[in-house]
């Protein structure tokens, strides 16, 4: 019996990373809608996290707020930029709480940690405490960006991944990697399996904003870009299966 269990365990591919940060956009939570949260989509993403958790991976998350409010759009419509960005940060807290509820419904302990203190709804960001949560096997969702205006949630994700000593940042998108042009508009767009940080910056590829890419480069943090509806799922991507692009040192 024991030998059979050992053989089964040996046949399951081990994940390539022990600790990762998963970055998803707020728009990903809208599902087929045009605004807000689509509960079945939130649940589906939570189940992706559950499958990855089952492999023994320590998981941190950052979720954007564009499904509720995007600071740049508010600024473009005449709102003062700092105020608009703070409103966007509050939107990420709402998304983080929704994702926490969905993940905890699956029996996984989860903590929302906010860069803007709001003790009645989530924990304040304290790096050592957040690391301890990960070590105890809790999913940690970082909310409110960096706590400062003018920084995107992509930059916040790269910052938190570096602070948490994550081995990679996984960015879930609508496409299965990084392309030299928009594959939805250009059927001949070329997909990269691997690309360097400098190439992303030089070619102005829309992976993440330049500050996030530069921060990842300075900390040698790999960025894995994949499609959220990848057939192998997030757990498969972490095991090296499916289609994705890795942004890494040249």
């Amino acid at each position: 019996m024991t030998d059979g269990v050992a053989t089964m365990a040996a046949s399951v591919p081990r994940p390539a990373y022990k600790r990762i940060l998963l970055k998803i956009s707020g728009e990903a939570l809208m599902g087929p809608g045009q605004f807000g949260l689509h509960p079945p989509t939130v649940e589906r993403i939570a189940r992706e996290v559950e499958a990855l958790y089952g492999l023994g991976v320590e998981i941190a998350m950052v979720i954007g707020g564009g499904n509720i409010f995007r600071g740049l759009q508010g600024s473009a419509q005449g709102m003062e930029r700092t105020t608009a960005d703070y409103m966007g940060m509050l939107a990420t807290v709402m998304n983080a709480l929704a994702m926490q509820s969905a993940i905890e419904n699956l029996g996984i302990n989860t903590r929302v940690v906010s860069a803007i203190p709001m003790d009645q709804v989530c924990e304040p960001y304290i790096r050592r405490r957040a690391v301890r949560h990960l070590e105890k096997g809790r999913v940690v969702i970082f909310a409110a960006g960096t706590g400062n205006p003018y920084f995107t949630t992509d930059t916040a994700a790269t910052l938190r991944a570096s602070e948490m000593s994550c081995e990679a940042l996984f960015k879930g998108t609508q496409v299965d990697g990084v392309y030299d042009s928009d594959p939805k508009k250009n059927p001949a767009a070329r997909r990269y399996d691997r690309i360097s940080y400098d190439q992303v910056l030089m070619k102005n590829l829309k992976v993440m904003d330049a500050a996030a890419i530069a921060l990842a480069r300075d900390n040698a943090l790999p960025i894995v870009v994949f499609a959220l509806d990848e057939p192998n799922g997030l757990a498969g991507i972490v095991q090296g299966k499916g289609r994705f692009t890795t942004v890494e040192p040249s």
Side-chain angles (χ1 to χ4, degrees):
M1 185 71 172
T2 303
D3 290 343
V5 172
T7 301
M8 184 180 299
S11 66
V12 177
R14 291 187 177 182
Y17 306 96
K18 180 181 178 182
R19 179 182 295 173
I20 71 160
L21 187 140
L22 172 62
K23 166 63 169 66
I24 60 177
S25 68
E27 288 88 341
L29 305 186
M30 293 192 304
Q34 299 297 316
F35 177 82
L37 295 164
H38 182 242
T41 298
V42 176
E43 181 181 349
R44 179 181 66 79
I45 294 174
R47 291 197 178 278
E48 294 276 352
V49 173
E50 179 189 32
L52 182 58
Y53 182 85
L55 296 175
V57 178
E58 296 174 359
I59 307 163
M61 297 180 69
V62 169
I63 306 172
N67 58 317
I68 299 172
F69 188 88
R70 184 180 290 277
L72 280 175
Q73 290 178 348
S75 178
Q77 294 171 5
M79 185 178 293
E80 194 269 326
R81 172 65 188 271
T82 302
T83 299
D85 280 356
Y86 278 121
M87 292 175 66
M89 291 179 216
L90 296 178
T92 72
V93 177
M94 296 171 68
N95 284 339
L97 292 172
M99 185 59 66
Q100 177 188 39
S101 177
I103 294 174
E104 289 196 331
N105 282 341
L106 300 174
I108 300 172
N109 288 327
T110 308
R111 297 290 186 272
V112 172
V113 177
S114 172
I116 299 175
M118 46 186 80
D119 295 345
Q120 289 180 311
V121 295
C122 54
E123 295 183 9
Y125 175 67
I126 300 173
R127 189 190 69 84
R128 290 175 64 89
R129 182 187 293 176
V131 169
R132 188 62 177 147
H133 285 322
L134 292 170
E135 291 173 345
K136 288 184 175 181
R138 297 164 182 157
V139 173
V140 179
I141 306 175
F142 294 104
T146 66
N148 300 288
Y150 297 95
F151 291 94
T152 67
T153 51
D154 280 346
T155 300
T158 309
L159 174 64
R160 297 295 183 235
S162 300
E163 289 179 308
M164 295 299 106
S165 300
C166 292
E167 297 172 359
L169 190 161
F170 282 69
K171 180 168 182 180
T173 68
Q174 295 181 344
V175 294
D176 57 358
V178 178
Y179 287 78
D180 61 0
S181 60
D182 188 343
K184 294 184 177 180
K185 298 179 181 178
N186 177 18
R190 174 193 172 195
R191 189 181 70 85
Y192 300 95
D193 287 327
R194 297 181 180 276
I195 189 169
S196 71
Y197 308 109
D198 289 336
Q199 286 177 304
V200 169
L201 292 171
M202 182 178 64
K203 296 176 184 291
N204 195 28
L205 302 178
K206 305 301 182 182
V207 180
M208 293 175 137
D209 63 85
I213 295 294
L215 183 58
R217 178 189 61 190
D218 292 347
N219 291 281
L221 175 70
I223 302 170
V224 180
V225 182
F226 69 101
L228 277 171
D229 58 356
E230 166 65 33
N232 287 299
L234 175 59
I237 294 293
V238 172
Q239 294 176 78
K241 303 174 184 176
R243 288 165 62 87
F244 55 89
T245 298
T246 304
V247 184
E248 58 188 359
S250 54

